[in-house]
């Protein structure tokens, strides 16, 4: 499959995925975190309104990360402009100021993300798996935004 892995990569959610995301978001809002799920709240870059989406919080080598398996989504674009967001599980909320990783920094985080969540998000990575060679992960890195969340 010849897929474009660049800064314009964005996979639109299908109807079934939207239903699944709504269920995960509802459970997470109620305080039930499924395998590290959180609800990310970030201000819209154009509207200024608070937007929400379910995300998978990855802990890897003592750091926390957000990975965008669908590419340069609206939450990614909004986060870049806003510079901060909120992660919530139930009533617990944490203000975060994520730092976007360079493409060279992404491969080990993408691999760890796939090891943990390929069962849920693997289809969005198309032909990429946790066993993909390091140089290939680096080649596709521009298509997968990754943010480190400083403590």
């Amino acid at each position: 499959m010849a897929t474009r892995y660049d800064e314009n990569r964005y996979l639109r959610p299908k109807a079934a995925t939207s239903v699944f995301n709504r269920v995960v978001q509802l459970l997470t809002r109620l305080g039930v975190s499924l395998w590290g799920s959180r609800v990310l709240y970030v201000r819209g870059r154009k509207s200024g309104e608070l937007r929400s989406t379910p995300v998978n919080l990855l802990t890897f080598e003592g750091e926390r990360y957000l990975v965008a398996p669908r590419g340069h989504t609206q939450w990614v674009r909004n986060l870049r402009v806003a510079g901060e967001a909120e992660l919530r599980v139930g009533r617990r909320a944490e203000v975060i100021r994520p730092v976007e990783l360079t493409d060279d920094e992404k491969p080990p985080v993408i691999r760890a993300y796939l090891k943990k969540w390929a069962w849920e998000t693997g289809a969005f990575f198309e032909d990429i798996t946790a066993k993909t060679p390091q140089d290939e992960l680096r080649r596709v890195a521009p298509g997968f935004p990754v943010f480190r969340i400083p403590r």
Side-chain angles (χ1 to χ4, degrees):
M1 173 183 291
T3 303
R4 189 176 78 200
Y5 293 104
D6 63 17
E7 67 280 349
N8 296 313
R9 181 180 176 276
Y10 171 61
L11 302 178
R12 286 193 181 279
K14 295 180 181 167
T17 303
S18 294
V19 170
F20 178 77
N21 282 348
R22 280 189 288 247
V23 170
V24 170
Q25 189 165 347
L26 174 65
L27 289 171
T28 305
R29 283 182 176 165
L30 293 172
V32 179
S33 175
L34 301 174
W35 302 284
S37 66
R38 300 288 189 276
V39 178
L40 177 73
Y41 289 84
V42 62
R43 294 265 170 219
R45 65 193 179 283
K46 296 177 184 174
S47 69
E49 293 178 20
L50 205 54
R51 304 292 184 182
S52 65
T53 190
V55 293
N56 293 321
L57 182 64
L58 173 68
T59 301
F60 173 65
E61 294 184 347
E63 297 283 350
R64 298 178 310 152
Y65 297 92
L66 293 177
V67 176
R70 292 181 178 283
H72 298 268
T73 61
Q74 297 304 316
W75 73 259
V76 167
R77 295 170 188 186
N78 290 338
L79 185 57
R80 286 174 176 150
V81 172
E84 69 177 23
E86 209 173 72
L87 284 177
R88 296 184 193 170
V89 175
R91 293 182 183 192
R92 293 183 314 244
E94 174 189 9
V95 174
I96 60 169
R97 290 174 184 79
V99 176
E100 192 163 5
L101 270 60
T102 66
D103 292 338
D104 288 334
E105 296 171 309
K106 293 177 187 178
V109 179
I110 292 171
R111 185 181 314 284
Y113 187 88
L114 282 165
K115 284 180 182 176
K116 187 164 186 178
W117 282 297
W119 62 272
E120 178 187 347
T121 63
F124 309 136
F125 286 87
E126 297 149 293
D127 52 346
I128 304 301
T129 71
K131 294 182 179 180
T132 297
Q134 187 81 0
D135 59 333
E136 181 66 2
L137 287 177
R138 172 55 188 90
R139 184 186 72 75
V140 303
F144 299 98
V146 177
F147 296 86
R148 183 177 51 80
I149 302 169
R151 295 203 184 261

